[in-house]
Structure formats: C-alpha cells, structure tokens
Amino acid sequence: MLEIENLHANVGGKEILKGLTLNVGAGEVHAIMGPNGSGKSTLSYVLAGRAGYEVTQGTIRYKGEDLTALAPEARAAKGIFLAMQYPVEIPGVTTLTFLKTALNAQRRARGEKEVDALTVLKRVREKAAALNIPEEMLKRALNVGFSGGEKKRLEILQMALFEPSLAILDETDSGLDIDALKLVAEGVNALRAPGRAMLVITHYQRLLDHIVPDRVHVLSAGRIVKEGGKELAHELEARGYEQIVRAPA
Amino acid sequence: MNAVTSTLDARRAKAAENFRASGVPHRRVEAWKYSDLRAVVGANDVEQAGPAKWSVDAPAGVELFDLASGNAPDWVQQRLGSIGAGAMQSASFGFARSGFALRVPRDATGTVRANWLSDGQARVLIVLEDNASLTLVESADAFAGFRNIGMEVFLANGAQLAQIALSPESSDAVAVTEIAARLSRSAVYRAHFANFGAKLSRTELAVALDGEGAEAHLSGVSVLGAGHADVTTHVDHATGNTRSTQLFKNIAGGHSRAVYQGKVTVRPGANGADSRQTAKGLLLGNRAEIDLKPELEILADDVKCAHGAAVGDLDMESLFYLRSRGIPEAEARALLMRAFLGDAIDEIENEEIRATVWLAVEDALSRAADGAP
C-alpha cells in the first residue's frame, strides 16, 4: 500500500531524511520508533505533503501512485490521514463546521456526493460518544481551549470520520495520561481493517502495548536502521536506542 | 424664531470659517498622517460639493427632520452644529444644507435604515432621549467623487444606540465620515464599521463618555482588495466608571492599505474607567499595507486599560492543518480569513444585520484574495 524507497528530504535546506526505505502493506500496522531528532516528524510531514518539507531524492508510492507532487488536500482525498502531534488551534472555526467542511471537501475531490449537515452531525455524534468526547466540545472553536488529551481524541475522531486507507499517527501518545492513552488506543484499534494501513510513530514503547504493531522499524539519523516484530519495541525500551542503533541490523 | 434660526446661521458661518482656517487635512496633520486627503480633494471641491442625497426609512415613533427644510424644531436648533469641530466636520455643516435629524423620544425603540445615494456633503443629527433605543443601519450605493458626512450623536441617560455602517467598494470615491458622540449617564453606544475600500475612505469617530456608567463598544472590519480605508477613533473617558471596548480587524490584499488609529483618553479623576482596545491586521501579499496605531493617554490613577495591535500573514501551520484534512488551499484560506474577522463581526448584536455584513464580507474576501500577491 505504501512503498517508500530511498527517500531523502530537506527541511530549511538541511537534510533530515537520508535514504529511508519502508513498505507497509494493506491491513498492516507498522511502528516507527526513534530518538528525538531522528526524523520521525519529518517523515510524517513529508508523507502529508507539508510545504517546506522538500523531497530531494527517492520515491513515495501509495497504491502504486507517486505522491511527491501532490498537494496535501489531494493526498487527503486519496485517503491519507495524519494525526498530528500538535493539532493546531483555530479560533473562529467551530469544530463541527470544520469536520463537515473537510469531509465534504474530500468527498467532492473524489467525485462523491456531499453529505448533508444532519448526516454529518449524526456520524460525528456516534464517533464522539465512543471516544468520550462531549458534544459541547464540538460546538467550540477547533482545538481552542482543549486539553492535550482532548486534542488527540479529536484527531482520532477525524480519522474515524474520514475513514482513510493510510493513517499516520505522529506521537499520538505524547501528553496523554494512561486513561487517555487507553481511550485513544481503543479508538485506533477499532479502526484496524483489512483495507487500511497504519503507521504509528512514537518515541516510547508504551503506546505499542495498546496498539500492537505487526512490524517495528527503528529510525535513526534519517534512515531505518533496524526492523523486527513487536518484540523489538520491548527490546528498545529495555536496552535504549543507543545500543540498538549501534548494533548491526 | 428668527433669533434661534440666526443662531444656527451663526454656527454655520463659524463652521465654514473653521474649515477655511485649517483647510483640507493632509499628512502633516498628525491625525491624518496615514491618509492624505489633500492629495485627492481640494478646498474648492469641499466648499462646492453639492448636497449628498439620502433616503431614510424611519418607523412611526422616530422623528425624522430633513435638514434642507426651514423651521427646524427646537431639538434640532439646540444641538445641530454644536459638537464636532474637526475641519471636515465643520465643512459638512458650514457648506451643506443637506442631511437629516432623528429623534427617539424617551423610552421609545426603533430601527432606522439610512442609505447614501450620491456624492456631496451632508450633516446628520441623532438625538436619543432618556432610555430610548435606536438601531441605525447605514448603507451606501457605490459612487464616484467626493462625499463628506458629519454626524452628531447625543445619547441621554440610559439611551442605547447601535449603529452599523456598511461602505461598499467604490474605487473612484473619496468618502469621509466624521462622527462626534456625547454619552450621558449609563448610555450605551455600539458602532460597527464595515469598509470594503475606496480611493480613500476615512471614518473618524470621537466619543465622549460624559456620564457615569456610559459605555462605548466600537468594532469594525476592513476587507480590501484595492484602495484605502482609514478608521480613526478617539474615546474620551471624561467621567469615572465608564467603559469602552474596541475591536478592529483588517485584511489587506492587492495594492491596498488599511489604517486604524485609536486613541483613548482617561481624564483626571475618571477613576474606575475600563478600556480595552484590540486591532489586528492580516496582510495578503507584499504590496498591501496595514497601519495600526493604538494610543493611550491616562490622566487618572485607578483605571483598567489594555491595548494590543498585531499585523501578520495567514498562519501557515493552520493552513497546512486544514489542507491536510482535504480542504483545498483557496477554501482553507477563506476559512481562516473568516475566522480572523469573526469576533469583530460578532460584536453586531442583531443577527439579521450580522448576516448582511457577512454577505458583504464574503464578496470582499474573494476580491482581497484575488488581489493578493
């Protein structure tokens, strides 16, 4: 589903990704683990198409199609979703309005019929209830005044609503207490599906106790330096990045 | 009768003299430093401007008097031309015999719609008696040439005026509006100005909070794809326990310029005065300009005053966030611009009028965005 080959990317003229290769199949959940500064967030932004994250070499193929020239909105319409580490606060745009606008923009781009406000509301309510998001929050400005946990839950709600075929979760565990973490993990697990791939980017193994990955990749200095099954996450936690990164893959 | 009429004539003559003494304001006059009126209008243009045409729709219960007719009633004679001594305001009184006066009697309520139909000069007098309340919706037809409106507002104890002024885009127009308002005890004045650009537009507002408990809430949006819009305010906390808030949002695209200058004065002994002033600007592209100049002059001890001003570009992180959710760039930009303006437009309490302003803003936003880089 996602094939990344020898990816090099610059941010502000500095090379951050230095030949990253990664394959994620449909229905699989892969974890990317790595120390701070290894390029985890850069990878997520490059996949989502953020301006300023410049691919200098290599390819990103998604369902066989090269993504690198596509605008972020075009990628979203193709089913790519990035749950961000720091969801942005947008005063003046209510959460519900935003959800409806985004959902219909994606549908329009795919040539599908737009969904009316009532149907959107019904779907959002359903998914919000499962994530313990109070309805009052949906009427507030997007992410404004939300706690860290609330912001992350709203990211998962979007994922549930948009039903992407590739979900990238960037440090979704950061800033969450254990209860919030469990709630978010349950939300993510509920979305595991044969047609949907997930890339879970995290610094710590604890999220992976709740979202159990099929494969674990270790990112260091812009490259995947080690791969393994879910047990690799525990090994990393026990021995630290230093040792694993230095050991031959 | 003759004696009183000649009082009005004497005031008119004095106003004309006033204007001739100072001439058309120019950028070396501090209050006009961002808007060089003299560069676009000559003194002769001002003296010879004809009467500005208008239409007013006033309900029964609100008195309307046409200033072009003779035999002005006492309430007009007493007040007309008594406040507002700026050069342009003087001109609007000294040379024009056009305009209208509105009076809302004690405890009465009404909504008045006024529309400016042409260029020229006119004077407006608004008198609200004790506990009267008026919503004044002002609009204008697009026009070319020079227009100068001088407005006097008198709010008696507990009176409430909500004024909403919509100025459409008029690229060949020079439009000046100067408003002077006097508020007695517990009077409340809400004013909102929506400007969409002219060759030069200047809205100047001087509010005197003369009675305890008086409040002024001023807000506005300027959304420009071209042209120049200047909003200049002066709120004078002449008495203690008075409140003022100001919230002005400006979007400038293309080759346009938005200006906000706001001065707040708290007089000696006006303790308990509470003033908040916020002005923000959003620049689309590098040929546009926004000047924001909030200013505080505090001569009392026990006051609460805050002011802030900031000009920026659209937030790139927000833009990426929206686009990553599938919202196309142009739509995402428009969404962020609407969000930027939202709280200033929300200052309009009447829902129907707010919706009208939003409609005008939508049009202007697409022009502003088209005019960018």
Side-chain angles (χ1 to χ4, degrees):
Chain A
M1 173 147 313
L2 177 68
E3 301 157 283
I4 304 174
E5 180 113 14
N6 188 33
L7 182 66
H8 292 252
N10 286 359
V11 183
K14 189 168 177 254
E15 186 169 64
I16 305 291
L17 299 183
K18 302 169 182 173
L20 184 146
T21 296
L22 177 70
N23 289 300
V24 183
E28 294 175 0
V29 175
H30 287 219
I32 306 267
M33 298 185 72
N36 291 330
S38 57
K40 299 195 299 294
S41 281
T42 297
L43 174 61
S44 68
Y45 285 143
V46 166
L47 290 174
R50 182 168 185 166
Y53 289 74
E54 187 199 354
V55 174
T56 53
Q57 208 185 317
T59 54
I60 306 169
R61 288 185 173 281
Y62 169 68
K63 294 180 175 173
E65 186 188 359
D66 189 354
L67 280 187
T68 45
L70 291 184
E73 54 267 37
R75 300 185 198 203
K78 288 188 183 298
I80 296 176
F81 177 81
L82 168 61
M84 295 199 195
Q85 184 178 3
Y86 303 109
V88 180
E89 296 186 4
I90 306 186
V93 178
T94 65
T95 304
L96 204 54
T97 304
F98 157 75
L99 293 172
K100 177 172 173 275
T101 307
L103 179 66
N104 279 329
Q106 292 186 21
R107 294 181 66 89
R108 224 168 30 237
R110 289 193 292 263
E112 295 166 9
K113 207 170 155 263
E114 292 191 25
V115 183
D116 64 80
L118 220 61
T119 312
V120 176
L121 182 64
K122 195 166 152 268
R123 280 194 209 170
V124 169
R125 269 187 186 147
E126 230 172 71
K127 307 197 187 292
L131 286 159
N132 206 6
I133 293 174
E135 195 159 332
E136 172 268 330
M137 231 172 88
L138 302 170
K139 291 177 184 154
R140 277 154 52 192
L142 181 59
N143 285 320
V144 176
F146 290 17
S147 70
E150 287 172 334
K151 286 178 184 169
K152 295 297 172 72
R153 270 183 278 159
L154 189 67
E155 293 291 288
I156 305 307
L157 184 149
Q158 291 176 48
M159 180 173 154
L161 182 67
F162 302 149
E163 302 178 315
S165 46
L166 172 65
I168 305 147
L169 285 74
D170 187 9
E171 307 260 0
T172 294
D173 50 330
S174 71
L176 295 188
D177 61 32
I178 188 66
D179 291 333
L181 182 77
K182 277 185 180 160
L183 198 63
V184 163
E186 275 168 28
V188 173
N189 286 330
L191 295 169
R192 292 179 86 143
R196 179 173 293 139
M198 291 192 200
L199 202 54
V200 180
I201 296 175
T202 181
H203 187 101
Y204 302 105
Q205 157 263 330
R206 67 169 192 164
L207 178 65
L208 305 180
D209 287 342
H210 303 280
I211 305 172
V212 180
D214 299 304
R215 298 289 294 166
V216 174
H217 311 260
V218 180
L219 183 63
S220 174
R223 304 179 62 197
I224 301 295
V225 294
K226 195 172 172 74
E227 294 186 10
K230 62 185 182 220
E231 64 288 345
L232 179 56
H234 291 274
E235 200 186 325
L236 276 169
E237 190 77 4
R239 296 172 56 202
Y241 283 109
E242 273 295 300
Q243 291 225 356
I244 301 282
V245 167
R246 264 197 243 121
Chain B
M1 197 69 208
N2 271 344
V4 193
T5 307
S6 65
T7 305
L8 267 190
D9 287 343
R11 272 191 220 139
R12 272 214 172 87
K14 179 83 174 38
E17 200 181 299
N18 232 357
F19 170 77
R20 289 186 180 122
S22 42
V24 178
H26 51 87
R27 63 193 156 79
R28 287 185 305 282
V29 176
E30 179 64 17
W32 288 81
K33 71 181 207 178
Y34 300 112
S35 298
D36 194 353
L37 189 60
R38 195 175 282 188
V40 289
V41 172
N44 274 345
D45 301 330
V46 176
E47 291 207 24
Q48 283 154 24
K53 296 193 186 93
W54 50 270
S55 72
V56 168
D57 191 0
V62 174
E63 278 173 76
L64 169 66
F65 177 75
D66 184 340
L67 294 178
S69 48
N71 291 330
D74 282 352
W75 61 271
V76 173
Q77 301 215 7
Q78 278 163 17
R79 298 181 184 86
L80 187 66
S82 66
I83 57 170
M88 297 312 291
Q89 202 156 17
S90 295
S92 75
F93 184 51
F95 305 119
R97 302 237 170 184
S98 174
F100 57 91
L102 290 169
R103 179 166 71 154
V104 187
R106 174 191 286 261
D107 297 322
T109 298
T111 296
V112 168
R113 290 179 186 272
N115 192 39
W116 296 104
L117 305 168
S118 73
D119 61 346
Q121 290 192 100
R123 189 77 175 181
V124 176
L125 171 68
I126 294 168
V127 177
L128 268 62
E129 294 185 341
D130 288 355
N131 301 315
S133 114
L134 175 69
T135 300
L136 174 65
V137 185
E138 254 183 290
S139 55
D141 294 348
F143 71 104
F146 167 66
R147 187 176 65 214
N148 180 32
I149 313 290
M151 201 178 275
E152 292 167 87
V153 175
F154 294 89
L155 304 185
N157 294 344
Q160 303 208 9
L161 172 64
Q163 179 184 8
I164 299 95
L166 272 135
S167 308
E169 191 197 19
S170 285
S171 54
D172 294 320
V174 175
V176 178
T177 303
E178 293 198 354
I179 304 167
R182 280 251 164 99
L183 277 67
S184 301
R185 183 184 294 268
S186 300
V188 179
Y189 179 33
R190 297 184 162 273
H192 185 93
F193 302 96
N195 282 303
F196 303 109
K199 188 171 172 188
L200 190 155
S201 96
R202 162 88 164 194
T203 306
E204 191 173 325
L205 185 58
V207 182
L209 303 173
D210 285 345
E212 289 230 344
E215 296 182 17
H217 301 287
L218 315 179
S219 60
V221 292
S222 292
V223 182
L224 313 178
H228 180 115
D230 174 334
V231 174
T232 295
T233 66
H234 183 195
V235 176
D236 186 352
H237 289 260
T239 311
N241 300 317
T242 43
R243 268 188 73 206
S244 69
T245 61
Q246 297 190 56
L247 182 56
F248 287 89
K249 296 283 180 84
N250 303 277
I251 295 181
H255 196 76
S256 69
R257 188 177 188 188
V259 175
Y260 165 81
Q261 306 183 89
K263 185 174 176 181
V264 172
T265 302
V266 181
R267 300 267 170 185
N271 292 330
D274 183 342
S275 153
R276 250 161 295 164
Q277 197 183 3
T278 304
K280 287 190 177 161
L282 188 57
L283 275 174
L284 310 176
N286 50 23
R287 291 183 305 142
E289 181 174 339
I290 297 178
D291 302 287
L292 306 176
K293 188 182 153 215
E295 198 184 336
L296 271 173
E297 182 186 31
I298 303 176
L299 308 166
D301 300 325
D302 177 22
V303 300
K304 268 203 314 212
C305 291
H307 67 150
V311 179
D313 194 357
L314 273 184
D315 181 48
M316 285 301 118
E317 223 170 294
S318 302
L319 191 62
F320 169 65
Y321 189 85
L322 296 175
R323 293 179 71 190
S324 79
R325 268 46 181 160
I327 302 174
E329 184 174 4
E331 199 180 338
R333 282 180 179 275
L335 195 66
L336 291 174
M337 288 190 269
R338 283 197 292 269
F340 171 78
L341 299 171
D343 54 356
I345 295 175
D346 281 346
E347 287 285 301
I348 302 169
E349 288 182 329
N350 181 300
E351 196 177 329
E352 193 194 323
I353 301 169
R354 206 163 57 225
T356 309
V357 171
W358 270 121
L359 277 178
V361 163
E362 289 295 333
D363 279 355
L365 278 178
S366 48
R367 282 196 303 272
D370 287 347

